[in-house]
Amino acid sequence: MPLLTTDQADCCAPVTAGVMEAEDAKQLARMFKALGDPTRVRLLSMIAAQSGAEACVCDLTEPVGLSQPTVSHHMKQLVDAGLVTREQRGKWSYYAIVPETLAMLSAVLDPRSLPAG
Amino acid sequence: MPLLTTDQADCCAPVTAGVMEAEDAKQLARMFKALGDPTRVRLLSMIAAQSGAEACVCDLTEPVGLSQPTVSHHMKQLVDAGLVTREQRGKWSYYAIVPETLAMLSAVLDPRSLPAG
DNA sequence: ACATTGTATTGATGATCGTCGATACATCGA
DNA sequence: TCGATGTATCGACGATCATCAATACAATGT
């Protein structure tokens, strides 16, 4: 179940642009919560570091030093948040970064939208 | 207790720039976790919406519809994460956005640092 | 000094989370 | 079809979290 039914790039106005609607805040918080765990931050950076910004679980389990079910669990969080996609190729699951979601979150946090300047 | 002893703007390389060190991931995750709650996202946007990007608890309690201790608790999370500062002026606590932290997180998520382009 | 007002802290409770082992599902090769 | 391999799900457990009522702390005015 994806997080956003509409295009993620159009989710929300910047956090710094004014009072945010409760629903927008809920969606944003869900994505930030997915980033709110050290293991998931590392997993995301490890995927991004691969050529083509994609990786299979087999590439990720050993470096993070956690069990395979735990890595699968974290990857599911990232997929549900819309930060990565999952594609089955043969026996392997390949996870790829969703640049649009990262760009949206990056824009939301941009302090250049602050009223005072 | 602040999150970072060093300058927050120099915390970490972009998530998309390569494999991240465990310590950097830990620090980033702590900040993202602070953003991982809808109430805190709204509080942050409400502070940003105020002139001068600052607000007191009295301005925040009623709009979010939660008790005063709960709002104080959330604000402490945001302060500890380095996203806002607290300044006591008379009886009131004024919270202000820390643009540098937002800028750092925004840069960390910028997908333009992806190896593939 | 004392009452008032704004905010922080404490203690408690129900909910969610991160982790694992065990197991189920899926895909491939013989 | 059957075993092997990669991944996802299930069930459980301890830890953390969001929330509140009660209370403590801090600053102001009388």
Side-chain angles (χ1 to χ4, degrees):
Chain A
M1 177 200 323
L3 170 59
L4 296 173
T5 54
T6 60
D7 185 11
Q8 282 146 347
D10 294 336
C11 158
C12 316
V15 174
T16 51
V19 179
M20 182 163 300
E21 297 303 319
E23 195 55 37
D24 285 356
K26 200 171 166 186
Q27 292 189 352
L28 277 183
R30 185 168 171 192
M31 297 186 236
F32 284 130
K33 189 187 296 188
L35 292 169
D37 181 271
T39 298
R40 289 195 288 269
V41 171
R42 293 190 70 200
L43 287 171
L44 201 70
S45 83
M46 290 165 64
I47 298 171
Q50 302 279 93
S51 69
E54 69 172 20
C56 66
V57 175
C58 54
D59 295 327
L60 305 172
T61 302
E62 189 271 339
V64 298
L66 294 174
S67 71
Q68 173 268 317
T70 300
V71 173
S72 255
H73 166 71
H74 284 309
M75 291 314 301
K76 183 170 166 46
Q77 309 272 112
L78 292 174
V79 170
D80 288 348
L83 290 163
V84 305
T85 57
R86 186 173 93 93
E87 184 194 355
Q88 189 98 17
R89 287 212 297 272
K91 295 192 293 186
W92 295 274
S93 284
Y94 281 84
Y95 290 93
I97 297 276
V98 178
E100 292 81 9
T101 305
L102 292 184
M104 187 270 284
L105 292 179
S106 178
V108 158
L109 292 177
D110 194 334
R112 283 176 294 190
S113 304
L114 278 172
Chain B
M1 177 200 324
L3 169 59
L4 298 172
T5 53
T6 61
D7 186 11
Q8 283 145 347
D10 293 335
C11 157
C12 316
V15 174
T16 52
V19 179
M20 182 164 297
E21 297 303 321
E23 197 54 39
D24 285 356
K26 199 170 165 184
Q27 292 190 350
L28 278 182
R30 184 168 171 192
M31 296 187 235
F32 284 129
K33 189 187 295 188
L35 293 169
D37 181 273
T39 298
R40 288 195 288 269
V41 171
R42 292 190 71 199
L43 287 171
L44 200 70
S45 83
M46 289 165 64
I47 297 170
Q50 302 279 93
S51 69
E54 68 170 24
C56 66
V57 175
C58 55
D59 295 326
L60 304 172
T61 303
E62 188 271 339
V64 297
L66 294 175
S67 71
Q68 174 267 318
T70 299
V71 173
S72 254
H73 165 71
H74 285 308
M75 292 313 301
K76 181 171 167 47
Q77 308 272 112
L78 292 174
V79 170
D80 288 349
L83 291 162
V84 305
T85 58
R86 187 173 93 92
E87 186 194 353
Q88 189 97 19
R89 287 214 296 273
K91 295 191 294 186
W92 295 276
S93 285
Y94 281 84
Y95 290 93
I97 297 277
V98 178
E100 292 81 10
T101 304
L102 292 183
M104 188 271 284
L105 293 179
S106 177
V108 158
L109 293 177
D110 194 335
R112 283 175 295 188
S113 304
L114 276 174

